[in-house]
Amino acid sequence: MLRLHTFPPSSNALKVRFALAELGLPYEAVEVNILRGDQRDAAFLGKNPHGKIPVLEDGALVLRESDAIVAYLGDTYGAALWPKSPAARAEALQWLFFDAANFGYAGRIWWADVLTPKTGRTGPAAGPELVGQVATDVGRALGVLETHLTSRDYLLGDFTLADCSVGVMVNLLRGTRLDTPEAFPAVTAYRDRIRARDAWTAAGGKAIEL
């Protein structure tokens, strides 16, 4: 059986849980409590020297990096939710790379604008200038996404596993300074479509909806 090292509030781990739920794949969830420092345990570092979640184990394969895991699930188990032609698969991978390159630090905005005000819990060390720069960069990426989604419901038209990654990060920005439906109406509608999917609830999507 697949084993996923995960933690409910982690957006990157949610991407993989969302993909697994969409595929209907059973798996063993192994909690790595990053607030307690479990990611620094020697046993876990043996699986991911970077000390980050998620990590997927599938037999002898130990795979890290959420977007790589989503692509692997698509190639191995994807069936109707992963493109079969080389061109369409490349387009799906394009959006996974877009996610990794542009939304990787979106969590800093979520910590600053949502989590800290509601819980008092401080996030990764980041002053207002850095958070502001991240918001500018992520906002630029949202503009690209807005243009793309104006004429389609999902990234490739129909839902694919690529939407599991990008959809999670778009939802992570709910309630932040970038949650501006008037500026990003297509992105906002896409976000709502993602949240309405049964797999979103099954994957524990509410863990990032404070």
Side-chain angles (χ1 to χ4, degrees):
M1 178 181 285
L2 296 169
R3 299 179 80 229
L4 178 66
H5 299 260
T6 182
F7 187 55
S10 165
S11 55
N12 285 319
L14 176 57
K15 295 176 191 177
V16 180
R17 296 198 310 271
F18 190 15
L20 289 166
E22 286 285 356
L23 293 170
L25 287 174
Y27 65 96
E28 176 189 356
V30 181
E31 181 173 295
V32 180
N33 189 322
I34 60 177
L35 301 178
R36 192 171 58 210
D38 292 356
Q39 73 276 19
R40 294 189 290 272
D41 290 348
F44 182 74
L45 289 173
K47 301 180 187 300
N48 186 357
H50 205 187
K52 293 186 175 183
I53 53 172
V55 172
L56 180 75
E57 295 182 76
D58 188 5
L61 176 68
V62 179
L63 189 62
R64 58 185 185 264
E65 300 299 333
S66 58
D67 291 314
I69 295 171
V70 169
Y72 170 76
L73 291 173
D75 284 338
T76 310
Y77 304 103
L81 294 182
W82 191 246
K84 294 178 177 62
S85 75
R89 181 179 180 276
E91 188 178 356
L93 290 174
Q94 170 186 264
W95 285 108
L96 292 182
F97 297 157
F98 176 87
D99 171 65
N102 293 284
F103 294 143
Y105 286 100
R108 293 183 183 271
I109 307 171
W110 181 73
W111 275 93
D113 291 0
V114 177
L115 190 65
T116 297
K118 290 190 176 182
T119 69
R121 184 183 297 154
T122 57
E129 281 191 19
L130 177 57
V131 174
Q133 182 58 57
V134 169
T136 297
D137 294 341
V138 172
R140 188 178 303 116
L142 286 175
V144 172
L145 190 58
E146 174 69 23
T147 299
H148 182 74
L149 290 171
T150 297
S151 59
R152 51 185 62 81
D153 286 345
Y154 294 104
L155 296 174
L156 273 68
D158 294 328
F159 182 90
T160 69
L161 295 185
D163 294 294
C164 292
S165 286
V166 174
V168 164
M169 299 313 289
V170 168
N171 272 281
L172 188 68
L173 295 170
R174 290 178 70 242
T176 72
R177 69 194 73 184
L178 293 175
D179 186 1
T180 51
E182 66 279 6
F184 304 118
V187 170
T188 301
Y190 171 70
R191 180 186 74 189
D192 293 342
R193 281 190 289 274
I194 292 291
R195 292 176 64 240
R197 298 185 70 85
D198 291 341
W200 177 259
T201 301
K206 291 189 180 298
I208 64 170
E209 298 180 18
L210 295 181

